[in-house]
Amino acid sequence: MVMALVSSAMAVAYNTYWDLVVDWGLLRRNSKNFYLRDRLLVSHKSVYYIAMVINVLLRATWLQYVLEFRVNGLRKTAFSTTISCLEIIRRGMWNFFRLENEHLNNVGKFRAFRSVPLPFNYHGQDDDDDDDDEEEKDD
């Protein structure tokens, strides 16, 4: 039980760090916004701080499975469903901030493209087909 608790706590700590620093681009020491990134799309900085705290709390909720935590008045299925719904909320929040960070990185480094070049050409195939049809008419 102790090994499960320690390894789960380490996983929560590492995954939380990865979410906040790598995926969201937050917790920058030399940023003009205190422990955030330089460019933010949401005008209220408090949203980012609240999201960081909520992410940490929701990341740690699944530890209740390891600890076999019981809540009086809730059945095991209801408690499991509640934790699962909280995880869905956490992942939705994670997606929002991950997408925001990726957008800012792409725009900031001019990696955004309007169109993606395809490895094939439809126009060349149409021209070849028309030539074959004309040859058949001549015969």
Side-chain angles (χ1 to χ4, degrees):
M1 184 66 155
V2 172
M3 286 295 290
L5 177 62
V6 169
S7 63
S8 297
M10 288 173 38
V12 165
Y14 181 77
N15 290 333
T16 300
Y17 167 81
W18 191 268
D19 283 353
L20 300 178
V21 176
V22 178
D23 289 339
W24 294 4
L26 302 176
L27 298 178
R28 305 285 182 211
R29 290 183 193 165
N30 299 326
S31 174
K32 65 181 180 180
N33 299 311
F34 184 71
Y35 278 103
L36 300 175
R37 63 177 106 82
D38 287 333
R39 294 187 61 204
L40 303 172
L41 294 182
V42 179
S43 59
H44 300 288
K45 294 177 189 175
S46 61
V47 170
Y48 294 95
Y49 297 117
I50 292 169
M52 286 191 280
V53 170
I54 289 173
N55 187 52
V56 171
L57 294 175
L58 293 180
R59 268 266 182 214
T61 56
W62 69 271
L63 280 175
Q64 62 85 22
Y65 289 116
V66 176
L67 299 174
E68 296 179 0
F69 185 67
R70 303 275 186 247
V71 176
N72 293 333
L74 279 180
R75 293 184 181 172
K76 186 175 181 178
T77 306
F79 194 62
S80 175
T81 303
T82 303
I83 296 300
S84 299
C85 290
L86 291 173
E87 180 64 13
I88 291 169
I89 292 169
R90 187 196 69 77
R91 288 180 185 220
M93 184 178 67
W94 177 89
N95 279 315
F96 174 81
F97 290 106
R98 174 71 176 117
L99 183 64
E100 177 193 45
N101 186 42
E102 188 66 24
H103 170 71
L104 290 174
N105 285 336
N106 284 341
V107 170
K109 295 177 183 171
F110 306 106
R111 295 187 309 199
F113 293 100
R114 281 191 154 174
S115 64
V116 177
L118 299 174
F120 44 83
N121 185 1
Y122 286 117
H123 299 292
Q125 291 175 352
D126 290 343
D127 293 340
D128 293 340
D129 291 341
D130 291 342
D131 293 339
D132 292 340
D133 291 340
E134 289 177 11
E135 289 175 10
E136 290 175 10
K137 289 178 185 177
D138 291 339
D139 291 333

